[in-house]
Amino acid sequence: MAVILAGTITSGCGNDLHAEGERAVQAYCDAVIIAYRTSDASAVLPVSTEREWRKIFTLIDVKQADGLVLESVLESLTVTSVEQSKPGFMTVAASERWRYFDRPIELGRPPTPELLVDMELVYSFVDEDGVWKMDQATTRRHDYIEPKG
């Protein structure tokens, strides 16, 4: 599966900062997919703060209590801006397309309907020991493509 990465620089150190922002968002999204698919929130520890890790842990716990596993695919990612207002903090705006559904753990139960969603998010990253860690994400837009809604 190919993920599209593109965008513009709004401030900071030009292409280097933009590339850092792209890598940070992609690493976070990849880790989240693995965490949900395996029901193991520790997959996001290398790329998220403890605050964000606790949110993911909670959602996984809720899904497990319902006998479900979240299956997701990031179909496209376009980084639209990367800003670094001060050292150690980076804000990345991105447009994303996700396809996801809940897979039942119990055999014989059907999965939930598959959803295709276009989203615009703003990610806040902090530098912890030379690693950009996602601290908070704000959803700016969330549009269901399939099913229509």
Side-chain angles (χ1 to χ4, degrees):
M1 189 240 346
V3 174
I4 302 164
L5 294 173
T8 59
I9 306 302
T10 59
S11 70
C13 301
N15 290 331
D16 291 342
L17 181 62
H18 189 77
E20 279 187 68
E22 287 179 342
R23 283 191 300 271
V25 171
Q26 186 68 58
Y28 173 75
C29 290
D30 291 347
V32 166
I33 290 167
I34 292 167
Y36 289 139
R37 182 172 292 144
T38 61
S39 297
D40 181 3
S42 69
V44 298
L45 283 172
V47 294
S48 74
T49 61
E50 184 175 338
R51 175 169 82 159
E52 179 62 18
W53 173 83
R54 289 183 185 283
K55 292 176 189 175
I56 291 169
F57 177 86
T58 300
L59 180 58
I60 290 171
D61 194 45
V62 168
K63 294 282 185 187
Q64 281 187 315
D66 288 339
L68 300 169
V69 171
L70 179 63
E71 293 284 353
S72 58
V73 174
L74 178 61
E75 292 194 344
S76 67
L77 168 64
T78 303
V79 171
T80 56
S81 69
V82 180
E83 298 177 356
Q84 191 172 13
S85 58
K86 60 183 175 177
F89 295 90
M90 178 171 62
T91 302
V92 181
S95 295
E96 302 173 5
R97 176 169 278 191
W98 286 89
R99 185 175 298 276
Y100 59 92
F101 68 95
D102 288 320
R103 176 176 48 84
I105 296 170
E106 181 183 322
L107 293 176
R109 250 177 89 190
T112 62
E114 191 171 274
L115 302 173
L116 182 63
V117 181
D118 281 342
M119 303 173 71
E120 290 181 5
L121 293 106
V122 176
Y123 294 96
S124 297
F125 289 90
V126 295
D127 183 341
E128 289 187 5
D129 300 320
V131 176
W132 287 113
K133 294 196 173 190
M134 211 288 282
D135 186 51
Q136 184 174 357
T138 303
T139 303
R140 297 276 170 99
R141 185 177 58 80
H142 188 266
D143 295 327
Y144 289 98
I145 307 304
E146 295 173 9
K148 296 285 184 200

